[in-house]
Amino acid sequence: MEIEEDEERRRQRKLEEALEVKSLRRIISAYLNYPEAAEEDVRRYEKSFKKLPPAHKALLPHYPSKFQNLRRCISLNSYFIFTMLQAFEPPLDMSQDVDGCKDPHLENFEHGHCHSEERNASSCQSASTSGRMCCSNHAQACSQEKSNIMSNPTTELQEVKSEQQHEPIFGSGAGEVENNNEIAECCSNDVADSNGNAFSSPHDWLDPSLQLNVPLVDVDKVRCIIRNIVRDWAAEGEKERNQCYKPILEELDAQFPNRSKESPPACLVPGAGLGRLALEISCLGFISQGNEFSYYMMICSSFILNHTETTGQWTIYPWIHSNCNSLSDNDQLRPVSIPDIHPASAGITEGFSMCGGDFVEVYNDSSQIGVWDAVVTCFFIDTAHNIIEYIEIISRILKEGGVWINFGPLLYHFADMYGQEDDMSIELSLEDVKKIAFHYGFELEKEQTIETTYTTNPRSMMQNHYHAAFWTMRKKRTTT
């Protein structure tokens, strides 16, 4: 009987790993399909332009050159994406056969850090400027992504090292590719650098035969990631970071004024996205761990944190995928340099990590009880199927007297998941959210509303604004 149970467990683990490989392969395929999907958009623009009467075409003589400029921008974005994938080390054997695996959840949108125009997401992988990954067994969001990548959650911790320990895996930055290579070349196994020198991918898992046909919604998540890069890692995103991150950082600084270098306070950042807030918290003198569910996010954050050599190393074009609400073509086609800081030189506290995985599965564990001095949630709590469960876990993992700092709206990313009988979405008002928090032992210390945007093009004619809830709550101490 015991032998049969062991065999069943092995079979189940093998199936779950195959499902994880299939899901991760789908995410990688979405990245690799970006250039062709973007090129298809340009072909559609050209097709519409060609339908214009000759007199109308004559009024837009610059349009053919605009289409070529769009292709050049797509090529540069694709170059960044492929270089990022080359640096990625999958935690699983990507070559295994997964054709017989069916994942009923793969069609669910992976809800995450892409709010309204977008929606947020991960495996416990600590971000490391050394590029080294330490693994520990643990339970494992431009849309909040619900991927099966960690259906049998495992935590992969990759600690971020200081500049002195920084050993970048990948070589020089891409810079500007001036020769406008064909789009397909940017995502083939041979890629040219900024000087036209070709180098080959060392990864068999990038072989085209292992790529999947993915729906366009998956490629939309890649476009969302590109916008999120601006929010977290570009000078152009500083205004949004000041709106969202600065109040949190100032509050953390005020709550822990006498931080010890020998024993720094520990802060958890669920829904950490591309990692900038978690890094800034680390730079304040905290042991900081970002938790992220989306492998779309984790692949990108790991690359920026671990493989950046200089500020402004990469140039991307985040605004090219929408022709709507543009003030000018120059605004739409403008470049953005990333990152605006060198992560390894930022002054992080030892122990900074990015933990990939579902927040509930990773932190609803007895080893996490009373571990954290602070929990910071920014645009996160509305990513829950059951927000009550989130609040309960936050209370459980905080030390007595620990603080919960929250910033964000209540968009509830699963509210529009119609027709899925096994899914759920609990959508509470702000008043009810606070009542639930009080039930789980929190006391409200500070509260205000702050207006902010989320991955918004600052030069767009359309600006979506949130009146975000910002609060500090403290977990009450047990009276004896």
Side-chain angles (χ1 to χ4, degrees):
M1 183 66 176
E2 192 171 318
I3 295 176
E4 290 179 2
E5 289 178 356
D6 288 345
E7 182 62 32
E8 176 60 24
R9 279 196 293 269
R10 281 194 294 270
R11 190 195 67 79
Q12 186 64 25
R13 280 197 300 268
K14 186 175 180 180
L15 175 61
E16 288 171 346
E17 181 173 319
L19 290 174
E20 291 167 6
V21 168
K22 187 172 184 177
S23 185
L24 181 51
R25 201 181 285 173
R26 173 172 169 171
I27 290 168
I28 291 168
S29 296
Y31 271 117
L32 294 176
N33 287 351
Y34 164 83
E36 178 54 35
E39 167 65 18
E40 182 58 35
D41 288 341
V42 178
R43 287 196 289 263
R44 189 175 70 252
Y45 305 155
E46 287 178 321
K47 186 176 180 181
S48 294
F49 176 72
K50 289 175 181 177
K51 290 181 178 179
L52 287 174
H56 293 178
K57 281 184 187 175
L59 298 174
L60 300 169
H62 62 288
Y63 256 47
S65 62
K66 176 184 177 179
F67 298 143
Q68 289 310 108
N69 283 330
L70 282 171
R71 288 189 168 94
R72 174 179 170 276
C73 295
I74 292 166
S75 176
L76 291 166
N77 285 350
S78 303
Y79 189 92
F80 170 79
I81 287 169
F82 194 81
T83 306
M84 176 183 74
L85 292 178
Q86 284 186 307
F88 176 56
E89 297 292 342
L92 302 163
D93 176 11
M94 297 296 292
S95 64
Q96 62 181 277
D97 181 18
V98 296
D99 290 341
C101 297
K102 293 185 179 180
D103 181 1
H105 299 295
L106 274 179
E107 298 306 319
N108 289 346
F109 292 144
E110 304 173 24
H111 281 60
H113 288 135
C114 270
H115 286 250
S116 91
E117 308 110 306
E118 337 47 71
R119 288 278 191 194
N120 167 14
S122 177
S123 103
C124 224
Q125 181 187 37
S126 71
S128 164
T129 51
S130 72
R132 294 171 17 210
M133 187 178 296
C134 310
C135 297
S136 62
N137 291 329
H138 229 14
Q140 191 339 137
C142 258
S143 200
Q144 185 88 26
E145 288 113 315
K146 182 182 178 183
S147 160
N148 245 3
I149 201 63
M150 286 297 162
S151 58
N152 182 21
T154 55
T155 300
E156 298 163 9
L157 289 176
Q158 187 181 11
E159 291 190 1
V160 178
K161 305 298 181 183
S162 67
E163 183 179 28
Q164 290 72 24
Q165 298 166 296
H166 180 45
E167 300 173 1
I169 294 174
F170 195 76
S172 60
E176 295 268 349
V177 180
E178 298 294 347
N179 58 351
N180 190 24
N181 294 329
E182 288 295 319
I183 300 301
E185 291 180 3
C186 282
C187 284
S188 68
N189 284 344
D190 294 315
V191 181
D193 65 14
S194 56
N195 298 316
N197 301 315
F199 54 90
S200 298
S201 168
H203 299 305
D204 292 337
W205 52 267
L206 284 177
D207 189 284
S209 66
L210 296 178
Q211 294 178 32
L212 303 174
N213 291 322
V214 297
L216 287 178
V217 67
D218 285 19
V219 183
D220 284 339
K221 294 170 190 172
V222 175
R223 296 183 179 117
C224 171
I225 293 296
I226 294 172
R227 295 196 302 271
N228 271 270
I229 294 173
V230 178
R231 172 181 170 86
D232 264 22
W233 296 107
E236 191 165 318
E238 184 176 8
K239 181 179 179 181
E240 277 194 1
R241 293 196 298 273
N242 285 340
Q243 291 169 343
C244 300
Y245 299 169
K246 189 175 180 180
I248 292 171
L249 295 169
E250 290 175 346
E251 182 64 12
L252 269 176
D253 189 40
Q255 288 288 342
F256 298 87
N258 302 311
R259 297 184 290 281
S260 165
K261 290 184 178 180
E262 291 70 33
S263 182
C267 180
L268 176 66
V269 188
L274 295 183
R276 181 61 176 266
L277 178 57
L279 179 136
E280 296 284 359
I281 291 171
S282 176
C283 292
L284 275 183
F286 290 78
I287 294 174
S288 174
Q289 182 172 104
N291 164 238
E292 180 52 48
F293 180 40
S294 168
Y295 245 118
Y296 287 95
M297 294 278 186
M298 288 295 290
I299 291 171
C300 187
S301 65
S302 178
F303 179 67
I304 293 173
L305 289 166
N306 299 327
H307 301 280
T308 295
E309 296 178 344
T310 62
T311 59
Q313 183 172 351
W314 305 97
T315 300
I316 59 172
Y317 296 81
W319 315 118
I320 61 173
H321 299 297
S322 174
N323 292 325
C324 301
N325 293 304
S326 291
L327 293 172
S328 72
D329 288 347
N330 286 339
D331 283 343
Q332 182 186 7
L333 298 169
R334 71 187 186 276
V336 173
S337 296
I338 58 164
D340 64 318
I341 63 170
H342 181 216
S345 305
I348 57 178
T349 301
E350 185 177 354
F352 171 43
S353 62
M354 287 289 285
C355 171
D358 177 78
F359 171 68
V360 172
E361 295 186 26
V362 174
Y363 296 97
N364 194 18
D365 185 273
S366 59
S367 67
Q368 294 292 313
I369 296 174
V371 167
W372 302 94
D373 297 285
V375 173
V376 164
T377 51
C378 182
F379 277 79
F380 173 70
I381 61 173
D382 58 353
T383 68
H385 287 280
N386 178 2
I387 190 172
I388 301 171
E389 186 176 39
Y390 272 19
I391 296 170
E392 181 182 17
I393 293 173
I394 291 170
S395 174
R396 184 182 300 140
I397 66 178
L398 274 172
K399 297 177 181 177
E400 290 188 4
V403 294
W404 172 24
I405 300 172
N406 176 73
F407 187 105
L410 294 174
L411 183 62
Y412 292 116
H413 295 184
F414 292 98
D416 56 358
M417 300 293 282
Y418 302 114
Q420 298 185 20
E421 294 181 4
D422 60 341
D423 221 335
M424 67 181 294
S425 179
I426 306 300
E427 299 138 23
L428 305 183
S429 67
L430 180 58
E431 181 180 9
D432 283 340
V433 169
K434 289 187 287 185
K435 285 179 180 177
I436 297 299
F438 300 155
H439 171 79
Y440 283 105
F442 284 105
E443 295 178 314
L444 183 64
E445 291 193 348
K446 298 179 183 178
E447 182 183 22
Q448 67 181 109
T449 299
I450 297 178
E451 187 174 345
T452 186
T453 56
Y454 195 97
T455 66
T456 292
N457 180 351
R459 300 188 196 176
S460 172
M461 296 169 67
M462 185 185 77
Q463 303 280 331
N464 286 344
H465 290 250
Y466 295 92
H467 295 274
F470 177 52
W471 70 63
T472 300
M473 294 190 188
R474 187 177 301 278
K475 182 179 175 180
K476 289 187 288 189
R477 298 181 185 276
T478 304
T479 56
T480 55

